[in-house]
Amino acid sequence: MRRQAPSNCPVCNTTLRIARLECDDCHTAIEGDFDRGRLGRLSREQLAFVEVFLDCRGKIKDVEQRLGLSYPTVVSRLEQVVHALGAPIEAEAETRSRRVDAVLESLSRGELTPAEAAERLRTLRSPGGSSG
C-alpha cells in the first residue's frame, strides 16, 4: 500500500524536498533536488480541501454541504490555499473579504434581515465601499 509523502519534516516542520525518484518496474533510481510543484506547497489538509473543491467543480455551496462548513469558512480555506500557492493577498481585497464574511455571519445568526444584508453587500461591492 502506498502512502502519501509527507510535506514537512516530522522533527522541525521544515518543508521536505524530493531527493530520489525510482522506477517501479526496473528500479532505476535518479537522485537530485526535485521541485514538488505548486501543489507540493500545500498541507495535507489543504490538498484534501482542493480535492473536494475540484470534485464539486468549484461550487462553494456544494463544498459547504460536502464538508459541513459555512460559506465564510469555505471561502477562508480557499483563500488560504491560494495564498499557500504563492498568490499575493491584497490588503484591500482581504479587508473587503472580511467585511463580507461579517455580513454573512450576521445574516446567518439572524442579526440582519436578508434585505439589510443585501444592502450592505451592495455597498461593499462598490469601489471604496465600506460597512460597519
Side-chain angles (χ1 to χ4, degrees), residues 46-123:
Q46 289 171 327
L47 279 172
F49 175 83
V50 168
E51 288 176 2
V52 171
F53 185 80
L54 293 175
D55 285 347
C56 293
R57 307 294 192 263
K59 296 177 185 166
I60 292 180
K61 185 170 218 62
D62 293 348
V63 176
E64 286 178 64
Q65 291 173 348
R66 185 99 159 269
L67 297 177
L69 300 172
S70 69
Y71 177 89
T73 302
V74 171
V75 172
S76 175
R77 289 196 184 172
L78 183 57
E79 284 297 321
Q80 290 170 5
V81 166
V82 170
H83 181 66
L85 291 175
I89 294 180
E90 299 176 24
E92 183 179 329
E94 188 175 349
T95 299
R96 185 172 288 165
S97 177
R98 277 198 301 267
R99 289 179 176 160
V100 167
D101 290 350
V103 170
L104 294 172
E105 284 295 326
S106 293
L107 177 63
S108 71
R109 289 191 303 262
E111 297 169 357
L112 294 174
T113 66
E116 291 169 329
E119 180 56 34
R120 288 191 186 185
L121 292 173
R122 266 190 227 95
T123 301

Side-chain angles (χ1 to χ4, degrees), residues 17-55:
R17 65 180 173 81
I18 298 172
R20 180 181 167 96
L21 301 172
E22 185 174 335
C23 175
D24 283 340
D25 286 343
C26 70
H27 302 288
T28 297
I30 303 169
E31 292 190 19
D33 190 6
F34 302 99
D35 184 13
R36 296 175 64 108
R38 288 181 71 193
L39 292 178
R41 299 177 191 167
L42 302 179
S43 69
R44 287 183 184 188
E45 294 80 19
Q46 289 171 327
L47 279 172
F49 175 83
V50 168
E51 288 176 2
V52 171
F53 185 80
L54 293 175
D55 285 347

